[in-house]
């Protein structure tokens, strides 16, 4: 019971941290954290969210704090945990610490005047958990904190770590944003599992890892001066994660690193001078994630197919050749080239990467022959990004990617055709493909919901779209050559989001008005059931760059006396001198509109768009057999629906003949 209380008193101050990070630290405090955490979870005192972060209700957190405060209501220095900045600051300044203190945390801003004396630690010999973010230290630390398990000191002010902070029980060191220039540990830290020195801009070399034999996670992100990784990193048999992201001076890793069998995650993105993945890459048999975006890597070795556990590969921004400096370009002018063509970035085959789920190859200058012909041989692939490349066509085997959900082809200005799509595809992005002329039959991708093909000016139509029953959002803004027949078929469809070029509400819309609102009276339904309404607006944007904004439609039924907001719809908007049409569909299930109800719609686009015109088109349920005959879906069991032109309507407050409805439906 006492152990559970100790864990509870420690966990409430660890809320928001990764469970796999916290539990080893608490185990280092001899709390038997795995068992204790299980008990606390069963009692609903703590839980874990989908990101594996510890979460706790605010009332339970406050209860834990009150338990600690009750240990010594009038003397904070005799409590086991300290977290209130004023109390921690007072104890540090006045050197009032006692052996009762086991945990101390203060998280200051980067700019502050707080400075502590080196003797402050002499009375804190039972200290296990220490967080002193951005606290200045006056000198070294002569007093060894033997029981220290967690050391978190962001903005550590010294250029080295004093020996006194190298406690033999340390499990985690977190010194992000430090002034460290070197890390010379004279002691063996046998318990250390986590070392995070990210954003230490003056650190040029890693420590000797032979004294950290059980290290599991190494994070050196944005260490801009780092040029050398100690060869002893190859001795770390427990190392599973390495993060060198944005270490811009780092050119390579020692050969011993590539022999590690334990590495699961490797981040090299932003290492702009890192130029080689060796053949030994295939020996990292446990590797699941490899990110090497914006590096100088020229070629991925063919041995990558030996990585049977690889799930996530990202090489965005790798151009297949190094970014040449002026001297190297000058030499190339005078010396003959050894090879007429630069090597392909990708290996000739992906066969063997059976667990790969995400492949990101944006901005890699890939041409038609640079993509492996067996791209379709990746049975687990769900996400493929090929934005900003140089190919004119894609491999025909793309349709074999039966698990692919998301395909991105944005800004491929030379792409002319898109081959048959995988049948389970959910989202297709092909924005700004200015040479795109043809799409394959969309209906083959029977589950596709979102279609983004804006600014493809040569595209005339999207074959099979009229047969698709899954598409809910289409963005075709800037596709100026699409036919009127195609436009009309889209306007009649029950699509929740449609962006098209245009500055007039289509003629088939029965109710039209200027501005962002419209008031009208529904006609007699004559036995038909109202499925919903298509709402169309003519609008222009005021954005400086592409943004995603929401459109909200408010519906008021004046006959029944209620007002409801429709579901917000996210729309990708760009600054444009041209007007465009947005169309959304409102289902009648939520509003239960009846014959001859007086209805008012107001479109709210915030301050990012101006709504110039709007219109409404009524959508009625149809006989299922008639719909199947129209769409040629005789073998489909789904519910049928389509749109009928309004045959009878009454203009609000005016009597009109049925023949003049279309001409005179400008609403009040």
């Amino acid at each position: 019971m006492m152990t559970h209380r100790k864990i509870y008193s420690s966990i409430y101050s660890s809320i928001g941290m990764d469970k796999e990070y916290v539990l080893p630290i608490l185990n280092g405090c001899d709390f038997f954290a795995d068992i204790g955490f299980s008990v606390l979870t069963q009692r609903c005192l703590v839980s874990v969210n989908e990101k594996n972060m510890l979460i706790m209700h605010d009332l339970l957190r406050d209860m834990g704090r009150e338990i600690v405060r009750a240990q010594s209501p009038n003397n904070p220095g005799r409590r086991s945990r300290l977290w209130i900045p004023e109390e921690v600051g007072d104890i540090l300044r006045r050197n009032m610490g006692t052996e009762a203190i086991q945990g101390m945390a203060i998280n200051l801003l980067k700019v502050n005047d707080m400075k502590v004396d080196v003797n402050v630690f002499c009375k804190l010999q039972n200290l296990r958990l220490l967080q002193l973010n951005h606290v200045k230290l006056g000198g070294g630390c002569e007093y060894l904190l033997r029981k220290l398990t967690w050391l978190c000191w962001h903005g550590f002010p010294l250029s080295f770590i004093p020996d006194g902070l190298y406690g033999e029980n340390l499990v985690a060191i977190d010194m992000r944003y430090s002034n460290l220039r070197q890390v010379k540990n004279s002691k063996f830290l046998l318990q250390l599992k986590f070392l995070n020195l990210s954003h230490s801009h003056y650190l040029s070399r890693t420590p000797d890892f032979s004294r950290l034999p059980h290290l599991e996670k190494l994070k050196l992100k944005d260490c801009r001066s780092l040029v050398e990784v100690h060869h002893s990193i190859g001795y770390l048999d427990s190392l599973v994660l390495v993060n060198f992201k944005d270490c811009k001076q780092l050119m390579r890793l020692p050969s011993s690193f590539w022999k590690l069998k334990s590495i699961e995650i490797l981040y090299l993105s932003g290492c702009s001078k890192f130029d080689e993945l060796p053949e030994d890459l295939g020996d990292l048999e446990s590797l699941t994630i490899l990110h090497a975006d914006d590096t100088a890597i020229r070629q991925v070795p063919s041995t990558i197919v030996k990585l049977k556990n690889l799930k996530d590969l990202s090489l965005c921004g790798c151009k297949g050749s190094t970014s040449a400096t002026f001297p190297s370009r000058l030499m190339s002018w005078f010396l003959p080239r050894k090879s007429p063509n630069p090597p392909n970035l990708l290996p000739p085959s992906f066969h063997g990467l059976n667990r790969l789920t995400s492949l990101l190859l944006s901005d890699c200058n890939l041409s038609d022959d640079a993509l492996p012909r067996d791209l379709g041989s990746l049975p687990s692939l769900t996400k493929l990004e090929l934005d900003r490349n140089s190919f004119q066509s894609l491999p025909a085997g793309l349709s074999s990617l039966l698990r692919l959900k998301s395909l991105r082809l944005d800004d491929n200005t030379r792409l002319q055709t898109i081959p048959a799509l995988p049948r389970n595809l959910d989202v297709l992005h092909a924005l700004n493909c200015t040479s795109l002329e043809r799409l394959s039959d969309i209906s083959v991708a029977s589950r596709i919901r979102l279609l983004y093909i804006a600014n493809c000016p040569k595209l005339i139509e999207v074959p099979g779209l009229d047969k698709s029953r899954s598409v809910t959002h289409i963005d075709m803004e800037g596709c100026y050559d699409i036919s009127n027949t195609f436009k009309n078929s889209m306007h009649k469809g029950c699509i929740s989001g449609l962006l098209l070029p245009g500055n007039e509400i289509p003629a088939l819309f029965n109710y039209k008005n200027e501005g962002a609102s419209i008031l009208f009276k529904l006609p007699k339904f004559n036995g038909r059931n109202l499925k919903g309404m298509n709402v169309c607006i003519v609008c222009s944007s005021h954005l400086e760059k592409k943004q995603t904004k929401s459109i909200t439609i408010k519906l008021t039924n004046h006959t029944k006396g209620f007002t409801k907001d429709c579901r917000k719809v996210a729309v990708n908007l760009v600054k444009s001198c041209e007007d465009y049409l947005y169309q959304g569909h409102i289902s009648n299930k939520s509003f239960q509109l009846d014959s001859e109800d007086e209805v008012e719609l107001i479109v709210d686009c915030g301050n990012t768009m101006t709504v110039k015109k709007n219109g409404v088109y009524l959508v009625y349920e149809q006989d299922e057999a008639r719909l199947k005959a129209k769409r040629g879906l005789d073998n489909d069991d789904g519910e049928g629906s389509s749109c009928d032109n309004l045959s009878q309507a009454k203009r609000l407050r005016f009597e009109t003949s049925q023949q003049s409805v279309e001409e005179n439906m400008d609403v009040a």
Side-chain angles (χ1 to χ4, degrees):
M1 181 66 181
M2 185 60 66
T3 299
H4 298 163
R5 177 168 293 191
K6 288 181 179 179
I7 295 175
Y8 177 60
S9 299
S10 299
I11 281 184
Y12 81 79
S13 59
S14 304
I15 298 305
M17 295 184 181
D18 193 307
K19 171 190 170 185
E20 303 305 322
Y21 179 71
V22 173
L23 293 190
I25 294 173
L26 298 183
N27 280 326
C29 297
D30 299 325
F31 285 167
F32 303 101
D34 297 292
I35 298 175
F37 179 80
S38 177
V39 173
L40 294 178
T41 303
Q42 293 173 8
R43 296 178 180 177
C44 299
L45 295 176
V46 67
S47 56
V48 180
N49 65 13
E50 66 279 359
K51 295 183 179 180
N52 208 40
M53 301 296 181
L54 297 178
I55 55 177
M56 178 185 290
H57 194 281
D58 290 349
L59 293 177
L60 294 174
R61 179 202 61 195
D62 294 342
M63 183 175 70
R65 290 177 173 177
E66 181 58 28
I67 291 173
V68 172
R69 194 194 69 82
Q71 295 171 353
S72 179
N74 299 319
N75 186 354
R78 295 188 178 277
R79 300 174 191 164
S80 63
R81 307 285 191 278
L82 296 172
W83 67 91
I84 299 176
E86 292 78 15
E87 292 180 349
V88 175
D90 189 52
I91 287 174
L92 292 176
R93 290 190 186 95
R94 299 169 62 184
N95 198 7
M96 296 172 58
T98 69
E99 293 186 356
I101 299 175
Q102 297 182 30
M104 179 184 294
I106 185 169
N107 191 9
L108 301 177
L109 298 175
K110 290 184 178 181
V111 180
N112 67 86
D113 298 324
M114 185 170 177
K115 186 176 183 179
V116 298
D117 188 80
V118 294
N119 298 317
V120 73
F121 298 109
C122 65
K123 298 180 181 180
L124 303 175
Q125 290 305 301
N126 287 320
L127 194 63
R128 298 174 183 268
L129 309 172
L130 177 62
Q131 182 184 45
L132 296 176
N133 288 350
H134 304 293
V135 173
K136 299 178 178 64
L137 181 65
C141 179
E142 304 299 330
Y143 301 94
L144 180 62
L145 299 176
R146 295 184 180 277
K147 295 185 178 181
L148 192 63
T149 303
W150 179 53
L151 174 60
C152 180
W153 202 324
H154 295 181
F156 185 72
L158 305 183
S159 61
F160 63 96
I161 300 178
D163 287 343
L165 294 179
Y166 282 122
E168 58 191 25
N169 291 309
L170 269 174
V171 174
I173 296 177
D174 183 351
M175 286 187 168
R176 283 173 273 180
Y177 303 98
S178 76
N179 288 320
L180 291 172
R181 285 170 168 76
Q182 56 184 343
V183 182
K184 292 185 178 180
N185 47 314
S186 58
K187 303 174 183 178
F188 281 90
L189 302 181
L190 300 179
Q191 306 300 322
L192 192 69
K193 294 184 177 182
F194 309 101
L195 178 61
N196 191 343
L197 304 178
S198 296
H199 312 289
S200 297
H201 292 167
Y202 305 107
L203 185 68
S204 60
R205 288 171 173 78
T206 67
D208 181 348
F209 295 107
S210 63
R211 298 182 182 273
L212 315 174
H214 298 124
L215 192 66
E216 295 180 4
K217 295 185 178 181
L218 174 64
K219 297 182 180 181
L220 297 174
K221 178 182 177 181
D222 187 35
C223 292
R224 301 175 185 176
S225 301
L226 186 69
V227 295
E228 181 180 341
V229 177
H230 200 278
H231 67 87
S232 58
I233 194 172
Y235 304 150
L236 300 178
D237 294 334
S238 300
L239 192 63
V240 296
L241 181 148
V242 176
N243 189 346
F244 290 121
K245 187 175 186 291
D246 293 327
C247 294
K248 298 186 180 302
Q249 299 301 317
L250 186 64
M251 299 181 67
R252 56 184 53 86
L253 298 177
S255 58
S256 60
F257 174 84
W258 304 103
K259 301 297 182 182
L260 287 170
K261 306 298 183 183
S262 58
I263 293 291
E264 297 177 8
I265 301 174
L266 175 59
Y267 295 126
L268 296 169
S269 296
C271 298
S272 52
K273 293 187 177 180
F274 197 96
D275 61 0
E276 183 182 12
L277 290 173
E279 292 292 326
D280 292 339
L281 172 66
D283 293 337
L284 300 180
E285 59 185 33
S286 299
L287 194 66
T288 61
I289 298 176
L290 173 58
H291 287 188
D293 303 336
D294 300 312
T295 59
I297 293 172
R298 298 186 296 273
Q299 190 171 28
V300 176
S302 58
T303 55
I304 193 173
V305 298
K306 295 169 60 179
L307 301 177
K308 303 302 182 183
N309 293 303
L310 189 64
K311 296 180 179 179
D312 186 345
L313 175 61
S314 184
L315 298 168
C316 300
C318 296
K319 304 292 187 180
S321 61
T322 55
S323 54
T325 60
F326 178 75
S328 63
R329 287 198 300 265
L330 188 63
M331 290 292 292
S332 68
W333 294 340
F334 294 101
L335 296 177
R337 294 184 179 182
K338 295 181 179 180
S339 174
N341 297 311
N344 282 338
L345 173 68
L346 302 176
S349 172
F350 279 146
H351 183 69
L353 297 178
N354 293 336
R355 295 188 179 182
L356 192 67
T357 60
S358 177
L359 178 60
L360 310 185
L361 298 171
S362 298
D363 196 24
C364 291
N365 197 29
L366 299 175
S367 58
D368 287 11
D369 57 352
L371 286 170
R373 294 293 97 184
D374 63 354
L375 184 62
S377 69
L378 301 173
S380 301
L381 197 66
T382 62
K383 182 179 181 180
L384 177 60
E385 293 188 3
L386 297 170
D387 303 337
R388 299 184 301 282
N389 280 294
S390 301
F391 41 70
Q392 296 181 1
S393 61
L394 295 168
L398 204 65
S399 60
S400 300
L401 298 172
L402 299 183
R403 295 190 178 182
L404 192 68
K405 300 295 184 183
S406 175
L407 175 61
R408 296 191 65 102
L409 301 169
D410 293 348
D411 301 299
N412 284 305
T413 57
R414 300 183 62 192
L415 182 64
Q416 297 177 2
T417 62
I418 296 178
L421 297 171
R423 68 186 184 198
N424 293 316
L425 191 68
D426 183 58
V427 184
L428 173 63
H429 286 261
L431 303 174
N432 305 315
C433 295
T434 53
S435 299
L436 184 64
E437 299 176 357
R438 295 191 306 277
L439 282 176
S440 61
D441 190 336
I442 288 294
S443 64
V444 174
S446 58
R447 297 184 179 181
I448 192 168
R449 295 183 305 109
L450 309 176
L451 188 60
Y452 299 98
I453 47 178
N455 297 320
C456 299
K458 293 187 178 181
L459 190 65
I460 298 176
E461 62 176 343
V462 182
L465 192 56
D466 58 329
K467 300 178 183 179
S468 175
R469 305 181 64 190
S470 58
V471 175
T472 61
H473 187 100
I474 306 174
D475 184 354
M476 296 186 68
E477 179 192 357
C479 298
Y480 297 108
D481 282 350
I482 57 176
S483 65
N484 290 328
T485 302
F486 177 80
K487 287 182 182 180
N488 287 334
S489 67
M490 291 299 97
H491 289 308
K492 291 181 180 181
C494 303
I495 298 172
S496 63
L498 175 65
L499 273 174
L500 293 170
N503 54 15
E504 293 292 340
I505 300 296
L508 60 89
F509 278 71
N510 313 110
Y511 306 97
K512 304 176 186 178
N513 198 24
E514 302 290 324
S517 64
I518 187 169
L519 178 67
F520 58 96
K521 185 175 182 178
L522 292 173
K524 291 182 179 180
F525 293 164
N526 294 329
R528 294 174 298 176
N529 294 322
L530 183 67
K531 183 176 180 65
M533 295 180 289
N534 287 347
V535 179
C536 184
I537 62 174
V538 175
C539 52
S540 59
S541 65
H542 313 298
L543 303 174
E544 295 299 326
K545 59 181 180 180
K546 180 179 178 180
Q547 294 184 28
T548 301
K549 295 296 181 181
S550 295
I551 294 177
T552 303
I553 300 176
K554 179 183 293 185
L555 184 148
T556 299
N557 189 325
H558 291 290
T559 302
K560 296 179 179 178
F562 69 80
T563 299
K564 288 185 179 181
D565 286 345
C566 303
R567 177 175 58 89
K568 290 186 176 181
V569 179
V571 181
N572 293 319
L573 300 176
V574 296
K575 183 180 180 181
S576 174
C577 58
E578 302 286 343
D579 292 338
Y580 51 89
L581 299 177
Y582 168 78
Q583 178 179 311
H585 179 75
I586 301 175
S587 172
N588 195 30
K589 291 181 180 180
S590 301
F591 302 101
Q592 297 299 310
L593 300 176
D594 290 324
S595 177
E596 298 188 303
D597 281 352
E598 293 184 3
V599 177
E600 183 177 13
L601 289 179
I602 299 177
V603 182
D604 182 9
C605 300
N607 58 2
T608 57
M609 288 193 295
T610 297
V611 179
K612 299 180 177 180
K613 303 175 184 178
N614 69 91
V616 174
Y617 177 81
L618 302 182
V619 182
Y620 295 98
E621 292 184 356
Q622 290 297 300
D623 178 73
E624 184 176 358
R626 176 184 173 187
L627 176 65
K628 286 184 177 181
K630 181 180 179 182
R631 291 189 171 181
L633 299 175
D634 293 332
N635 297 322
D636 195 331
D637 294 326
E639 179 185 357
S641 68
S642 74
C643 305
D644 250 355
N645 287 331
L646 185 63
S647 61
Q648 294 185 13
K650 290 185 179 179
R651 181 184 176 194
L652 187 62
R653 301 186 184 93
F654 290 89
E655 293 291 329
T656 64
S657 66
Q658 182 173 342
Q659 289 77 13
S660 62
V661 166
E662 290 290 339
E663 292 80 12
N664 297 301
M665 200 56 74
D666 49 338
V667 297

